[in-house]
Amino acid sequence: MFNFDAKLEEGAEAQKKAEEQKLEISNVYEELSNSLSKFLGFEVSFYETIEYEQNTPMTMTAALISNKLKKTGYKEITLGESDSNLRSKVLFKTIEPEDGYPVTIVHDKSKYISYSQEELAVAMQSIISNVSFHAALSSFKAKHQENSQ
């Protein structure tokens, strides 16, 4: 009569596809993290934080406590060492839907929308070959070397 069975099957298939896509996305970030670790000469990982609108005169803590800040929908992505609190500046921002693709990445004034793992890898290659990305890496590496002395 109402055909709930078909919709349940449809939802289960959508969830399976979303899990596969999230794994693909994670694999791109993991491979990039490994490459960055080799390039920098020390172990790094990606870290994400929620981006909030910056249009309030309150401090971030006060605004969070009073719920006056609104989320932008983006996550800010930084590099960090897992054995310390050292973090880079924000390298790029991303929106990753619950169901996988499309992944939206914003770096400087460029916006990339990826509908597959291959497109995501190409977008990341474009970002990591950028001058400002390497300036952030250099700054992060210098901070690491200061902390290692």
Side-chain angles (χ1 to χ4, degrees):
M1 186 162 133
F2 293 107
N3 200 11
F4 292 123
D5 294 337
K7 290 298 180 182
L8 283 168
E9 286 300 318
E10 186 179 310
E13 285 299 313
Q15 180 193 12
K16 182 179 176 185
K17 183 178 178 183
E19 288 173 359
E20 290 169 357
Q21 290 181 355
K22 286 180 182 183
L23 182 59
E24 289 178 3
I25 294 164
S26 176
N27 288 341
V28 170
Y29 288 127
E30 185 176 335
E31 191 169 328
L32 178 55
S33 175
N34 291 338
S35 293
L36 287 167
S37 294
K38 282 190 264 182
F39 182 78
L40 293 169
F42 57 96
E43 225 26 63
V44 295
S45 298
F46 285 110
Y47 292 87
E48 57 184 44
T49 56
I50 296 170
E51 181 186 55
Y52 292 92
E53 291 179 357
Q54 303 286 327
N55 61 358
T56 178
M58 304 175 101
T59 66
M60 183 69 125
T61 305
L64 285 172
I65 291 171
S66 65
N67 291 323
K68 297 233 185 228
L69 282 184
K70 294 181 183 172
K71 296 177 184 178
T72 64
Y74 283 94
K75 293 181 182 175
E76 297 176 321
I77 308 299
T78 60
L79 270 184
E81 294 179 305
S82 55
D83 58 349
S84 79
N85 290 329
L86 181 63
R87 300 288 182 265
S88 70
K89 72 172 204 142
V90 174
L91 299 174
F92 54 91
K93 300 185 297 185
T94 183
I95 295 177
E96 297 175 24
E98 281 297 312
D99 51 354
Y101 298 109
V103 174
T104 303
I105 300 173
V106 174
H107 175 257
D108 289 341
K109 295 182 181 177
S110 299
K111 186 175 189 176
Y112 306 87
I113 300 175
S114 305
Y115 292 90
S116 68
Q117 186 179 40
E118 294 77 24
E119 289 180 6
L120 179 59
V122 168
M124 294 311 299
Q125 289 169 343
S126 179
I127 291 168
I128 66 171
S129 63
N130 182 286
V131 172
S132 67
F133 185 87
H134 277 270
L137 284 183
S138 294
S139 173
F140 179 64
K141 187 172 184 175
K143 287 181 192 176
H144 166 77
Q145 289 171 337
E146 285 174 22
N147 289 354
S148 297
Q149 295 177 4

